[in-house]
Amino acid sequence: MESRLKIAGQAVQPILVMFPLGLFAMAIIFDLANLLGAPAIVGSLAYWNVVAGLVGGVAAAVAGAVDLAFVHRPVAKRIGVLRLLLNMGVLFLFAVIVMVRVGDPNRQAGVGLFLLELLALAISGFGAWFGGELANGRTPAFARAAVGNRGY
């Protein structure tokens, strides 16, 4: 699947995906430090990393949706929709994390939210790998099986 959004010949969406991944990973590092006894400001830094990651994630999702709109092959479109839904699920999880953290004056996460952040980051890492495989022209076997066994 070739990207339609390009700057200087380079696809925009893969570049945009790296910002939220880095911000979400830093948020988890900050939250771990906070849970281990770091000052409360570290929890606030984690919160603002998640907020910035959500902004970047929405920009990456919009760029991915634009690229997906120009895909004409049905199988490639279904796999692209699968990837987009996976990434939107991650954004939803992090949005829930932000909404729960708003209630705390220091914006700190407890152990439960930390574990949810770890799950969301693991899913986003899988989504990034999946997108990279698609960009390199290699569709993973599970995606071929999901598309092929549904009788489309």
Side-chain angles (χ1 to χ4, degrees), residues 52-128:
L54 283 172
V55 171
V58 168
V62 168
V66 169
D67 286 345
L68 185 60
F70 291 100
V71 173
H72 298 295
R73 292 186 351 215
V75 172
K77 190 173 240 0
R78 282 191 285 280
I79 292 173
V81 167
L82 176 66
R83 188 193 75 177
L84 186 65
L85 288 174
L86 184 68
N87 293 336
M88 293 303 294
V90 168
L91 290 178
F92 177 77
L93 284 174
F94 277 109
V96 167
I97 290 167
V98 165
M99 287 187 284
V100 171
R101 289 176 84 153
V102 166
D104 184 358
N106 292 325
R107 309 288 192 252
Q108 296 179 2
V111 176
L113 278 181
F114 178 73
L115 293 175
L116 185 61
E117 283 179 345
L118 281 176
L119 174 67
L121 185 67
I123 295 170
S124 67
F126 173 76

Side-chain angles (χ1 to χ4, degrees), residues 1 14 23 25 51 70 110 112 117 122 147:
M1 176 167 96
L23 288 165
V51 170
F70 291 100
E117 283 179 345
V147 171

Side-chain angles (χ1 to χ4, degrees), residues 13-15 18 44 48 60 75-76 84 97 102 104 110 129 147 150:
Q13 198 266 345
I15 295 168
M18 293 302 120
S44 296
W48 288 109
V75 172
L84 186 65
I97 290 167
V102 166
D104 184 358
W129 167 81
V147 171
R150 298 200 184 232

Side-chain angles (χ1 to χ4, degrees), residues 18-44:
M18 293 302 120
F19 289 105
L21 284 175
L23 288 165
F24 293 151
M26 284 307 300
I28 288 176
I29 292 170
F30 286 145
D31 277 336
L32 179 62
N34 191 27
L35 288 173
L36 294 176
I41 188 77
V42 176
S44 296

